[in-house]
Amino acid sequence: MTRDDLFNTNASIVRDLAKAIGDVSPKAFVLIISNPVNSTVPIVAEVLKSKGVYDPKRLFGVTTLDVVRASRFISEVQGTSPDNEEVTVVGGHSGVTIVPLISQSNHPNISGEVLDKLINRIQFGGDEVVKAKDGAGSATLSMAQAGARFTSSILRAIKGEKDVVEPTFVESPLFKDEGIDFFSSKVTLGPNGVEEIHPLGPLNDLEEKLVAAAKVDLVKNIKKGKDFVAQNP
Ligand SMILES: NC(=O)C1=CN([C@@H]2O[C@H](COP(=O)(O)OP(=O)(O)OC[C@H]3O[C@@H](n4cnc5c(N)ncnc54)[C@H](O)[C@@H]3O)[C@@H](O)[C@H]2O)C=CC1
Ligand SMILES: O=C([O-])CC(=O)C(=O)O
């Protein structure tokens, strides 16, 4: 089972929750953790648009777990503490759409097989847990930790704290001209939600290739979400 397989169950649940949010609390900050995030976020956007209350600054896909995993797995390779690791993960939240930017981490020199295995584990760590639990759910506790971290970052920003930055899957200008309306990159959060969407920064050749591969899937995942709402309003 992949995150994409969850689409059939979760798409209509997320659509109906988005309808209720649009009716009852149209100014809410909406944090989507239900998978497949790459499609469920566009579903919420389409529903809110149909109700005339969509504010792209207030809709977020929660990709924090990818950052938590990246920090943890780098620290395992390097023998450090994950608390001290800083790593940006961009793209989306499934398989090859998860792109860790190791060249921008504290350990830009990790290379070769160690790097390949590290990237693969970050990209497929969620699938590893789902397979291990064999139908009994997903990475429950680490998801809770990641969700709590992202939510508290949002709350700190709402209260006026400056320079609160988290990678998150939002409506983004970064690759809009390639048909990719949503993309995860570092975002500065503020009292009204998205304050600034950061560019990806310098990428090495491998990361350029990883981003290119991510974009291929993201176009399809985003379209799938939009098409679902168009066909099942
Ligand atoms: N973005 C992320 O980092 C992560 C996302 N996930 C996603 O989070 C979601 C939950 O995962 P788990 O807690 O492992 O699943 P789970 O199967 O343990 O829990 C799902 C819960 O949703 C409830 N539910 C079912 N239909 C509902 C409806 N129509 N309205 C309201 N609630 C309903 C069920 O009763 C159950 O309590 C899944 O979509 C999973 O893929 C999981 C891990 C990480
Ligand atoms: O695929 C899932 O449901 C679990 C998930 O998103 C993750 O652990 O990152």
Side-chain angles (χ1 to χ4, degrees):
M1 155 103 67
T2 66
R3 291 186 190 77
D4 234 17
D5 297 328
L6 290 170
F7 185 93
N8 294 337
T9 306
N10 288 355
S12 57
I13 297 174
V14 171
R15 176 202 58 199
D16 293 346
L17 290 171
K19 283 183 185 174
I21 292 167
D23 289 340
V24 175
S25 190
K27 294 253 173 230
F29 283 56
V30 184
L31 281 52
I32 300 296
I33 204 160
S34 303
N35 276 308
V37 167
N38 298 353
S39 304
T40 49
V41 171
I43 286 174
V44 175
E46 289 306 302
V47 170
L48 295 179
K49 270 183 214 167
S50 74
K51 292 187 173 284
V53 295
Y54 175 51
D55 179 354
K57 291 185 186 315
R58 288 170 183 252
L59 175 60
F60 308 87
V62 183
T63 57
T64 320
L65 182 48
D66 302 316
V67 178
V68 170
R69 280 193 183 115
S71 304
R72 173 77 204 181
F73 298 152
I74 286 184
S75 75
E76 282 177 4
V77 169
Q78 293 293 312
T80 56
S81 163
D83 290 346
N84 300 330
E85 297 301 342
E86 283 274 336
V87 54
T88 302
V89 184
V90 300
H93 180 69
S94 83
V96 300
T97 72
I98 299 169
V99 180
L101 303 181
I102 308 293
S103 73
Q104 297 176 18
S105 75
N106 300 340
H107 307 285
N109 297 328
I110 301 174
S111 63
E113 202 187 328
V114 175
L115 178 64
D116 292 344
K117 281 193 176 155
L118 179 62
I119 292 171
N120 187 272
R121 188 128 197 253
I122 295 166
Q123 292 188 318
F124 295 95
D127 303 70
E128 194 181 316
V129 177
V130 169
K131 270 189 211 134
K133 289 180 89 168
D134 195 19
S138 58
T140 319
L141 289 178
S142 54
M143 169 173 55
Q145 187 206 354
R149 170 170 149 180
F150 187 69
T151 307
S152 53
S153 293
I154 292 272
L155 292 172
R156 288 193 283 119
I158 290 174
K159 285 190 137 193
E161 189 174 320
K162 298 284 174 219
D163 301 324
V164 181
V165 179
E166 291 281 0
T168 169
F169 188 70
V170 292
E171 184 171 329
S172 170
L174 293 185
F175 299 107
K176 235 180 201 176
D177 58 352
E178 297 175 50
I180 300 164
D181 292 347
F182 296 85
F183 201 86
S184 178
S185 69
K186 278 188 184 171
V187 172
T188 301
L189 304 167
N192 296 311
V194 173
E195 202 152 81
E196 183 191 348
I197 295 172
H198 298 241
L200 301 189
L203 306 183
N204 62 26
D205 289 351
L206 173 62
E207 288 161 356
E208 292 281 6
K209 283 191 192 131
L210 294 172
V211 169
K215 287 197 262 181
V216 173
D217 273 18
L218 279 171
V219 170
K220 293 185 222 155
N221 297 161
I222 293 166
K223 182 173 183 307
K224 192 169 176 181
K226 286 185 174 180
D227 288 351
F228 174 80
V229 178
Q231 287 152 20
N232 308 275

